[in-house]
Amino acid sequence: MSQHYYSQQPEARHDRRVISAVLRGTTFRFTSDAGVFSKGDVDYGSRALIEAMEIPDGSSVLDVGCGYGPIGLAAARLAPGGIVTMLDINNRAVELARENAKLNGISNVKIMESDVLAAVAGQIFDIILTNPPIRAGKSVVHRIFEEAYEHLNENGALWVVIQKKQGAPSAASKLESLFGEVREIGKDKGYRILKAEKITK
């Protein structure tokens, strides 16, 4: 079985390139490379999540599975008074995300290598964002949801983008079992944007 982007240390030969993307009306430049998710362009699911997500200024935000950084860096630009923590198991992706923060002049980020949410043990966030690593398997995706619930403030929200054909119904069921109410914020070319809020009773 060949390696995929969820590998901690990708062995693919480097193929660095700089790509541009307009996200929420702002042009970003990203350096990408072989061995990371969607190396040729910001993938459609990430774009759909970025366009839908609501990030109030001053929020503490966590991006789980940040790749080379489009979701987390877009969130940081939307909330300049907040802090966005970005995690990925793939050390090549983490280094690229750090480069891309500098490339785009974004300083209100912390970028760390992490297996799911291990690197932020004990920390709590207002908003968690994820375009989950489907190829890593359902158990990993569900672990992200479970750990996200534990790392959210009361009334915090988890935003997820997932393709219907790649398990959106089962993802929604898992989220409902954890959070109770899950809202579908949008649909776009087979992608569903789900928002699960940690409502206190």
Side-chain angles (χ1 to χ4, degrees):
M1 179 178 168
S2 62
Q3 282 192 320
H4 52 67
Y5 61 84
Y6 195 70
S7 304
Q8 184 173 11
Q9 295 181 304
E11 295 169 358
R13 183 175 296 177
H14 287 285
D15 179 22
R16 289 169 61 89
R17 64 188 74 183
V18 177
I19 59 178
S20 293
V22 178
L23 307 171
R24 295 292 280 262
T26 297
T27 300
F28 290 81
R29 295 174 70 228
F30 301 108
T31 300
S32 82
D33 199 351
V36 300
F37 175 62
S38 195
K39 66 179 182 181
D41 194 10
V42 178
D43 73 290
Y44 201 89
S46 292
R47 287 176 181 270
L49 177 57
I50 290 164
E51 293 305 316
M53 64 192 189
E54 298 163 8
I55 314 291
D57 199 7
S59 299
S60 60
V61 182
L62 179 65
D63 175 11
V64 182
C66 67
Y68 52 79
I71 296 171
L73 294 179
R77 186 61 59 77
L78 290 170
I83 294 288
V84 179
T85 302
M86 300 164 59
L87 307 178
D88 204 294
I89 195 171
N90 181 326
N91 58 12
R92 187 176 293 183
V94 167
E95 289 305 315
L96 288 167
R98 288 176 179 151
E99 278 186 49
N100 290 329
K102 292 177 183 174
L103 184 62
N104 291 279
I106 295 170
S107 59
N108 58 323
V109 290
K110 298 176 185 175
I111 303 168
M112 296 181 283
E113 188 175 321
S114 181
D115 180 11
V116 192
L117 278 70
V120 293
Q123 296 182 45
I124 302 294
F125 301 89
D126 300 317
I127 297 167
I128 300 180
L129 309 166
T130 189
N131 182 353
I134 300 301
R135 288 190 211 170
K138 185 183 285 189
S139 64
V140 171
V141 174
H142 285 188
R143 234 181 92 205
I144 290 172
F145 297 165
E146 290 163 0
E147 294 187 18
Y149 182 84
E150 297 301 325
H151 284 76
L152 274 173
N153 278 323
E154 293 179 359
N155 302 314
L158 170 64
W159 291 75
V160 180
V161 60
I162 195 162
Q163 271 187 294
K164 186 174 182 180
K165 67 181 182 181
Q166 291 185 325
S170 69
S173 295
K174 178 64 176 180
L175 290 170
E176 284 166 5
S177 74
L178 292 165
F179 289 84
E181 185 178 345
V182 178
R183 288 191 293 145
E184 184 175 279
I185 301 300
K187 290 182 185 177
D188 197 343
K189 293 188 177 178
Y191 288 91
R192 295 175 67 189
I193 310 296
L194 305 175
K195 181 183 182 184
E197 295 182 80
K198 188 172 182 177
I199 305 298
T200 55
K201 297 178 181 178

